[in-house]
Amino acid sequence: MSSQNFTKSSRPPNASSVVKLLERNETFAQLRAGIKQIAALEHDLASVLPDYLAPNISVGPIKNGTLSLLTAHNALAARLRHLEPRLLQTLQERGWLVDAIKIRVQSPHTKPIFTAKEAHLSKTGLTCLQDLHQKISPSPLQTAIAQMIERQTKISQEKI
């Protein structure tokens, strides 16, 4: 499969044709309907919530009549709990099949910090890799071994 790089002067595929294609697939049509439902629910919530609170609330799933609302920290959750009866009543008046609201604190996702692992080979190990590199024919394996030798040589020189 070839990939295309689009520049400012070139145009991407027609978006409406992609939408039509996705609408023909039942799974994507259901997904699209679910997304529309969540967007409508978010819109209704935003119209009820104070301006400072609405952008900090995420709509979770509705399971067994319970709507999950997600906040970033406890202070927002506490304020939302004060508004919960009014929110529930407003959503029910607007036709949402919600019997209860569950407010959950969900901390912002942070990327885990990974430290790069470095393998250190002994002089004997490095010599064996160099011998192997010379004995095998040109291939992706030989290229990988050459890169490994280069890294190990660099690491050995930094220690000195």
Side-chain angles (χ1 to χ4, degrees):
M1 175 182 241
S2 67
S3 63
Q4 282 185 328
N5 291 328
F6 294 104
T7 61
K8 289 183 180 181
S9 62
S10 66
R11 297 179 63 187
N14 186 344
S16 64
S17 64
V18 173
V19 170
K20 288 177 186 175
L21 178 66
L22 294 177
E23 285 175 344
R24 283 187 263 164
N25 183 310
E26 187 175 323
T27 304
F28 286 120
Q30 291 172 355
L31 179 63
R32 186 179 169 125
I35 291 170
K36 282 183 179 181
Q37 182 183 24
I38 289 173
L41 181 56
E42 285 177 338
H43 180 269
D44 283 349
L45 277 172
S47 68
V48 177
L49 292 171
D51 291 339
Y52 71 91
L53 194 54
N56 297 302
I57 305 299
S58 297
V59 175
I62 299 175
K63 289 186 179 177
N64 300 324
T66 301
L67 169 64
S68 293
L69 296 178
L70 310 172
T71 66
H73 51 80
N74 287 326
L76 292 173
R79 180 63 182 133
L80 195 55
R81 284 186 184 98
H82 288 295
L83 300 172
E84 186 177 346
R86 190 179 89 191
L87 285 174
L88 183 59
Q89 180 182 359
T90 303
L91 291 174
Q92 288 172 341
E93 288 171 358
R94 293 184 182 187
W96 292 100
L97 301 175
V98 177
D99 300 322
I101 295 176
K102 181 179 180 181
I103 299 165
R104 297 184 344 190
V105 176
Q106 183 179 30
S107 60
H109 297 289
T110 56
K111 291 183 179 179
I113 300 171
F114 294 106
T115 55
K117 293 183 180 179
E118 291 184 14
H120 301 285
L121 290 178
S122 64
K123 288 182 181 181
T124 306
L126 187 56
T127 303
C128 290
L129 269 182
Q130 290 168 338
D131 290 343
L132 178 63
H133 178 263
Q134 291 173 357
K135 290 179 182 175
I136 61 175
S137 59
S139 65
L141 177 61
Q142 186 189 40
T143 304
I145 291 173
Q147 291 171 348
M148 198 171 173
I149 292 169
E150 184 180 326
R151 269 193 311 271
Q152 290 301 317
T153 303
K154 184 179 177 184
I155 291 170
S156 296
Q157 290 173 353
E158 288 175 358
K159 287 183 177 180
I160 298 174

